[in-house]
């Protein structure tokens, strides 16, 4: 059974810092991995999607890496801003992929202090 | 990008009543919609998968008679929590997979916070 774990559960950093969020999964047989942002009481915003054949994806100040063999992914946020404060979720899609089912981690709640 | 509208965003109800949550894809047709539930401090958990025109598939441990899902059209899926109890209080969120756009991207609604008194 696939399990997804995110560490740390919460993180507080001063504005401007670079930071790394961690995600681990128990079964390396994945279709893809996705990072989401969730603001309090709101839905999910997709940040980055990494296919199982890829090693990283970048969007602006965000960079996500994937190491399937070790069951790990990281989300790197450069030059953090107060507006980055949110909960970040990692989700794995098991194969074959056409089911659309996602398995989520518990999330990392980030607070960026001005 | 594609928009999924979910209503209501928040609902408070008395124990024993039924609550309906709607999920609409506004600018695309969704062949498949997914319903997730999130308890405080826990991860999102898939409850069921619904395909337009057919019965929903429920995950293990989810009572299909309690959580009624209807996906009558390619743009609308509803989740009805029947005879709600305080333990059903949770954050419910839907996601939709777009028709003809592969299986890579899922679009999420804004969620519904249900509080049962």
């Amino acid at each position: 059974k696939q399990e997804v774990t995110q560490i740390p559960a919460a993180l507080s950093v001063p504005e401007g810092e670079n930071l790394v969020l961690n995600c681990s999964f128990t079964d390396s047989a994945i279709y893809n991995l996705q990072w989401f942002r969730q603001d309090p009481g709101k839905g999910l915003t997709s940040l980055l999607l990494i296919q199982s054949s890829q090693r990283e994806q970048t969007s602006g100040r965000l960079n996500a890496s994937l190491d399937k063999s070790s069951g790990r992914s990281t989300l790197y946020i450069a030059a953090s801003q107060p507006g980055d404060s949110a909960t970040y979720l990692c989700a794995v899609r098991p194969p074959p992929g056409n089911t659309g089912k996602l398995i989520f981690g518990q999330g990392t709640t980030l607070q960026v202090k001005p | 990008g594609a928009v999924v509208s979910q209503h209501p965003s928040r609902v408070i109800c008395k124990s024993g009543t039924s609550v309906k949550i709607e999920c609409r894809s506004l600018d695309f047709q969704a062949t498949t919609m997914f319903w997730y539930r999130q308890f405080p401090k826990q991860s999102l958990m898939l409850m069921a998968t619904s395909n337009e025109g057919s019965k929903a598939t429920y995950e293990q441990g989810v009572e299909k008679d309690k959580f009624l899902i209807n996906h009558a059209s390619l743009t609308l899926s509803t989740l009805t929590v029947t005879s709600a109890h305080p333990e059903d209080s949770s954050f419910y969120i839907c996601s939709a997979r777009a028709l003809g756009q592969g299986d890579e991207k899922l679009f999420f609604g804004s969620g519904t916070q249900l509080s049962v008194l």
Side-chain angles (χ1 to χ4, degrees), chain A residues 66-86:
Chain A
L66 174 64
D67 185 341
K68 255 194 347 173
S69 60
S70 66
R72 293 182 182 182
S73 176
T74 61
L75 178 66
Y76 175 83
I77 303 177
S80 58
Q81 303 170 359
D84 294 330
S85 299

Side-chain angles (χ1 to χ4, degrees), chain B residues 11-116:
Chain B
V11 59
I12 301 173
C13 68
K14 292 183 178 179
S15 184
T17 60
S18 293
V19 175
K20 179 184 284 188
I21 302 170
E22 289 190 351
C23 181
R24 292 180 184 271
S25 56
L26 297 185
D27 50 3
F28 67 99
Q29 292 182 320
T31 50
T32 306
M33 289 193 178
F34 306 89
W35 288 94
Y36 289 83
R37 176 170 57 183
Q38 183 180 32
F39 292 109
K41 305 293 185 183
Q42 296 187 24
S43 60
L44 285 157
M45 298 293 292
L46 181 66
M47 298 175 65
T49 302
S50 73
N51 292 294
E52 184 264 339
S54 62
K55 289 185 177 180
T57 302
Y58 291 81
E59 295 297 303
Q60 190 173 9
V62 178
E63 301 174 58
K64 61 180 181 180
D65 294 330
K66 181 170 185 61
F67 299 99
L68 302 180
I69 292 173
N70 184 284
H71 192 164
S73 77
L74 284 171
T75 59
L76 174 65
S77 177
T78 61
L79 168 67
T80 300
V81 183
T82 62
S83 186
H85 291 284
E87 58 265 29
D88 298 323
S89 298
S90 183
F91 184 72
Y92 294 85
I93 192 167
C94 66
S95 71
R97 186 169 71 199
L99 178 68
Q101 294 189 25
D103 59 7
E104 295 187 355
K105 282 198 172 179
L106 300 172
F107 305 97
F108 282 82
S110 54
T112 298
Q113 184 65 53
L114 170 63
S115 299
V116 184

Side-chain angles (χ1 to χ4, degrees), chain A residues 4 6 21 23 33-38 43-45 47-48 75 86-91 104-108, chain B residues 38 42-44:
Chain A
V4 181
Q6 290 184 248
L21 306 181
C23 172
L33 183 145
Q34 201 163 357
W35 284 91
F36 293 89
R37 170 184 173 139
Q38 184 179 28
L44 276 61
T45 302
L47 298 174
L48 291 165
L75 178 66
T87 296
Y88 290 82
L89 298 172
C90 165
F104 285 86
Q106 303 95 321
T108 294
Chain B
Q38 183 180 32
Q42 296 187 24
S43 60
L44 285 157

